[in-house]
Every structure is written in structure tokens, then in C-alpha cells.
Amino acid sequence: MKKLLIPLIIVVVIGFLIYNTAVGFYNTGVDLEQNAKTSWSNVESAYQRRADLIPNLVSTVKGYAAHEKETLEGVIKARAAATQTTIDPTNITPEKMAAFQKAQEGLSGALSRLLVTVEKYPDLKANQNFLELQSQLEGTENRINVERNRFNETVSLFSKHIKKFPNNILNNFIGNFKEMSRFEAAAGSDVAPKVEF
């Protein structure tokens, strides 16, 4: 009886260790994945804040620069495209991330053109409502950058967790966790813009 008891205890201890390792891997993976999804929601929230400010900004500019219709319509169209492009946080693929970033870059470009147009109107630049909206927009752009960086950090933690040994073996066995895409710099953003006066 003692001869059977020792191997049985060894098997139970090994089984318990394997179970604890698998449960620890899975629970940590769930926590990190949920943190990344929450972080993605914060990114979308920051972009939504920017989209919500744009109609007020356009309305304010419209009163001063009515003949800049093309620029104003460009901002409105870019805003519509940016708000229509969304990503399900459970399925962030490189293709979906690229489409999302492209829509957001279109809106950023349209806003830049609008703000350059504003330079022609000194009365508008002095308008308190416009200055407040511009300040809020700048603050929102900073929030967007902060939230994108946080998202990349949480995705990095999640990716490291599922790729490290022996977690990668457990993940292949369980097959539950897939790597998420990160935000990347827009193509050409590594080249400084040419400024001429």
C-alpha cells in the first residue's frame, strides 16, 4: 500500500502544480486583456471628445469665415468618417487598426487645414468662444496621445504575458489569447514638416 501511496502523492502534487500554473496564466491573461480593452475604450473616448468639439468649432468659424465653405465641409466629412470607423476591442487586428488610424489622420488633417484658415481672420482668433474651443481641442489632442500611449503599454504587458515561456505553450494549448495590435506612427511622421515663412 505504501508503494502505491508515494507515486499517487507525486502525481497529485504535479497535477496540482500544473493546475495552479494554468489557472495563474489564464487569470493573469484575462486581467491583462481586460485592462487592454479598457485602455482601448479610453482611446475611443478621447477621440469621441474631439469629435464632439468639432461641431462647435465649425459653427464658431462659420460665423467669421463663411466663404471658407470647402474647408468647413472637409472637416465635417472627415469627422463623419472618423466616427463611423470603430474597432471591437475583442478583435483589434492590424488591418482594423490601420483603417481606424487612417480615418483619425483624415480628421486631424482637416482640423489642421481649418486652423491654418483661421489665421486669416484676426477677429476670429480674438473671439473668446473660439479661443476656448481651440484650447479644449489642444487639451483633447494631448489626452488622445496619453491614452494611445497607455493603450500601447497595456497591450505590451498582455503580449509579453502570452509570449513568454512557458505561457506561450499554455496559450497554444488553451488557444484563448490572441495578440492585439498597437498604435503606430502614421506613415511619413518621422519626417519633419517643412515650414516656410
Side-chain angles (χ1 to χ4, degrees), residues 59-164:
S59 294
T60 303
V61 172
K62 196 182 286 186
Y64 286 86
H67 61 279
E68 301 287 352
K69 186 177 179 181
E70 186 178 317
T71 304
L72 295 171
E73 287 176 354
V75 171
I76 293 166
K77 286 179 185 175
R79 178 188 180 271
T83 56
Q84 289 175 355
T85 306
T86 60
I87 298 178
D88 175 9
T90 61
N91 190 19
I92 300 177
T93 63
E95 297 80 22
K96 290 179 181 180
M97 182 64 80
F100 183 84
Q101 285 184 256
K102 185 176 180 183
Q104 296 303 328
E105 288 167 19
L107 181 55
S108 295
L111 279 172
S112 295
R113 287 188 293 281
L114 176 66
L115 294 176
V116 166
T117 300
V118 165
E119 293 296 319
K120 301 177 196 174
Y121 303 96
D123 291 343
L124 175 59
K125 290 189 330 184
N127 178 290
Q128 189 60 38
N129 191 27
F130 174 76
L131 291 173
E132 185 178 319
L133 286 168
Q134 188 176 22
S135 175
Q136 287 183 22
L137 193 59
E138 289 170 1
T140 300
E141 292 296 333
N142 287 336
R143 285 183 191 178
I144 289 170
N145 188 48
V146 167
E147 294 302 338
R148 286 190 305 212
N149 289 341
R150 286 182 183 159
F151 172 73
N152 282 348
E153 289 169 9
T154 57
V155 167
S156 179
L157 289 173
F158 174 69
S159 294
K160 287 177 187 175
H161 176 72
I162 64 173
K163 287 184 168 187
K164 284 184 177 177

Side-chain angles (χ1 to χ4, degrees), residues 48 53 117 141 191:
Q48 184 62 50
L53 287 172
T117 300
E141 292 296 333
V191 178

